[in-house]
């Protein structure tokens, strides 16, 4: 039976341990695409992913493997991102699988997200196949890495395969292990349809394209389907698999991973995590679905050209379909006009969304400094959730403020424990516990304000441990903090988009830092611009930007009109990501100045 020859699996790892490279080798060694089409990291098909060398969106692909037992097997490989911001994507892809290949870099050993991914895989009852990668490197310690996996994770590594995903060494054994050790899917072909939507994207021609894992029954073109949560019904236009290009099929059956299109134009009808069933013979209940992710970081996104507001809304709607963890709602700023307050899982996620909006939708955007959600308790008994520092109520109304804390696990060699604790302490962390993973490594657990994590924690952690520490965190709880709002005034006007929240003990220092940074970032103009930082009406820092003397272009001789035109053009382009705030031209970098540290 065909179901017996299907294997659904993911590859999980800490970032840079070699997931995408292994996926490339597996693709090459199975029948999926011709060598001609092969390019590095083919699953990372977003331009942005290839440039950054990281995986952002999960990607599912169907492969045919001719095994040593003479049979052909169908592999559904789902590549997953490793960065902490995207663990949401990881858990969604795992829900569609029976097994996971755990890649561990033999030069690095077990790291924080190795552990986090193993827990996710175990939560989904997956068979885990450990694979030791990069054994071609002189510093690789395959045996030590296995010992570490046994000791720190408790997984049996006696059958772990040593590989070089780069050269392909050992990958053939991984393919055989997939066949032998990962269970074939089960699921009744005669039962009513039950399929889980684990991803979706919008296609201008086909409408919403749903990535699904069929758990029970079958689905084919012409079937009337129903979305259990939204209640919407549609007729299936096409079913198929990605190989990795979409390939139409007659039928998807229990155990298959593939796509469904149904001319769905309203993206709200078909949310990721919903269950698809047959309209005339619905399954009695939905599949478990997914945990709805709470955004952790909020920032304002504004088009530099105010006329593009509706384009931005449409772009966000389309991106949200592809990335359910993105949230947005309209907001307005005196300084920036009309835009959206967007919620992200973390800083990398925010960066990626901004870049995708600019590249894929051709928008020029200004992003404000990210903020977390504060719980503000007022004297009148009301509690406000404040995502935008500009909306912080007047100090006289505030009784107390709570901010979100994360539970951070930092894995580090013994020698750096002191440095890690010092950093956590400085970032207002509260010590929880310390677990000895082995004689040489420790897992240090702290509760740290999320606002400090998004500020510069990760960079500091890397530099104070010479890159040896790895970090994983999850949102924990709200705890009271002594926080104040700091306003920035340019040329005497308060710029709402530059307001930020700080712990009181850092307020003056941060106010001074930011004023001097803005002084460097904002170009001189033909009048003097005072910059001030203030808490309420109290000025805590001030500086000013001197006026220019002359128009730069005036110095270019009129004998060379070409050069003058070029220079003006260059200035104009430089202005694209500028925003006029009152009389002052403010570049994008100024809005992020709050975050940069030197
Ligand atoms: P991912 O973040 O887990 O997807 O990791 P990538 O597959 O992008 O690999 C991260 C880096 O490690 C890339 O520069 C790869 O070329 C490199 N790499 C991956 N596997 C191997 C290997 O077996 N040997 C060596 N020497 N480098 C590898
Ligand atoms: Mg990758």
């Amino acid at each position: 039976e065909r179901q017996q020859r299907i294997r659904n699996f993911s590859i999980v790892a800490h970032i840079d341990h070699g997931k995408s490279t292994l996926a490339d080798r597996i693709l090459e060694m199975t029948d999926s695409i011709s060598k001609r089409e092969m390019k590095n990291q083919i699953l990372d098909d977003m331009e942005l992913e290839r440039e950054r060398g990281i995986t952002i969106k999960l990607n599912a692909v169907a492969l045919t493997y001719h095994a040593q037992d003479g049979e052909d097997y169908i592999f559904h490989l789902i590549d997953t991102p490793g960065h902490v911001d995207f663990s949401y994507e990881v858990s969604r892809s795992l829900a569609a699988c029976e097994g996971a290949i755990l890649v561990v870099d033999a030069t690095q050993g077990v790291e924080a997200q190795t552990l986090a991914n193993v827990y996710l895989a175990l939560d989904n009852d997956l068979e885990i196949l450990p694979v030791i990668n990069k054994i071609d490197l002189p510093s690789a310690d395959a045996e030590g890495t296995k010992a570490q996996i046994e000791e720190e994770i408790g997984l049996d590594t006696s059958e772990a395969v040593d590989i070089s995903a780069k050269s392909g060494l050992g990958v053939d054994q991984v393919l055989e292990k997939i066949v032998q050790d990962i269970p074939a899917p089960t699921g009744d072909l005669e039962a009513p349809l039950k399929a889980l939507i684990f991803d979706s994207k919008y296609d201008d021609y086909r409408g919403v394209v749903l990535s699904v894992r069929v758990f029970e029954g079958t689905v084919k073109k012409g079937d009337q389907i129903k979305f259990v949560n939204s209640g919407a019904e549609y007729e299936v236009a096409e079913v198929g698999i990605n190989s990795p290009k979409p390939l139409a099929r007659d039928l998807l059956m229990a155990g298959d991973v593939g796509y469904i299109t149904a001319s769905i134009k309203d993206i709200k009808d078909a949310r990721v995590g919903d269950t698809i069933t047959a309209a005339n013979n619905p399954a009695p209940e939905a599949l478990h679905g997914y945990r709805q992710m709470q955004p952790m970081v909020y920032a304002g996104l504004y088009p530099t050209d105010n006329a593009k507001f509706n384009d931005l809304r449409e772009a966000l709607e389309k991106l949200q379909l592809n990335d359910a963890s993105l949230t947005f709602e309209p907001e307005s700023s005196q300084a920036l006009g009309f835009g959206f307050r967007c919620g992200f899982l973390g800083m990398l996620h925010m960066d990626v969304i901004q870049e995708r909006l600019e590249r894929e939708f051709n928008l020029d955007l200004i992003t404000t400094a990210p903020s977390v959600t504060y719980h503000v308790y007022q004297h009148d008994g009301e509690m406000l959730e404040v995502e935008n520092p500009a909306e912080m109520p007047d100090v006289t109304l505030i009784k107390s403020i709570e901010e979100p804390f994360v539970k951070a696990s930092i894995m580090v060699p013994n020698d750096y424990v002191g440095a890690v604790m010092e950093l956590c302490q400085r970032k207002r962390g509260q010590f929880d516990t310390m677990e000895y993973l082995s004689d040489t490594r420790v897992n240090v657990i702290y509760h740290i304000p999320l606002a400090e994590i998004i500020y510069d924690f990760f960079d500091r952690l890397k530099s104070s441990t010479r890159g040896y520490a790895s970090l994983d965190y999850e949102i924990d709880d709200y705890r009271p903090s002594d926080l104040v709002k700091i306003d920035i005034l340019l040329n005497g006007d308060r710029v709402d988009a530059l307001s930020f929240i700080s712990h009181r003990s850092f307020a003056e220092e941060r106010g001074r830092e930011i004023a001097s940074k803005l002084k460097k970032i904002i170009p001189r103009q033909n009048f003097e611009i005072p910059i001030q930082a203030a808490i309420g009406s109290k000025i805590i820092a001030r500086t000013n930007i001197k006026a220019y003397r002359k128009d730069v272009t005036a110095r270019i001789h009129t004998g060379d009109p070409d050069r003058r035109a070029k220079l003006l053009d260059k200035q104009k382009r430089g202005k694209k990501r500028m925003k006029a705030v009152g009389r002052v031209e403010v570049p994008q970098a100024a809005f992020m100045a709050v975050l940069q540290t030197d």
Side-chain angles (χ1 to χ4, degrees), residues 14-21 23 41 44 49 53-56 79-82:
H14 190 80
I15 193 156
D16 280 345
H17 281 208
K19 289 178 309 286
S20 302
T21 309
Q41 266 134 44
D44 294 346
E49 290 182 318
I54 54 168
T55 307
I56 298 160
D79 190 27
T80 62

Side-chain angles (χ1 to χ4, degrees), residues 13-22 41 53 55 133-137 163-167:
H14 190 80
I15 193 156
D16 280 345
H17 281 208
K19 289 178 309 286
S20 302
T21 309
L22 176 59
Q41 266 134 44
T55 307
N133 191 28
K134 305 198 188 179
I135 57 159
D136 57 294
L137 292 173
I163 66 163
S164 165
K166 197 169 182 179
S167 75

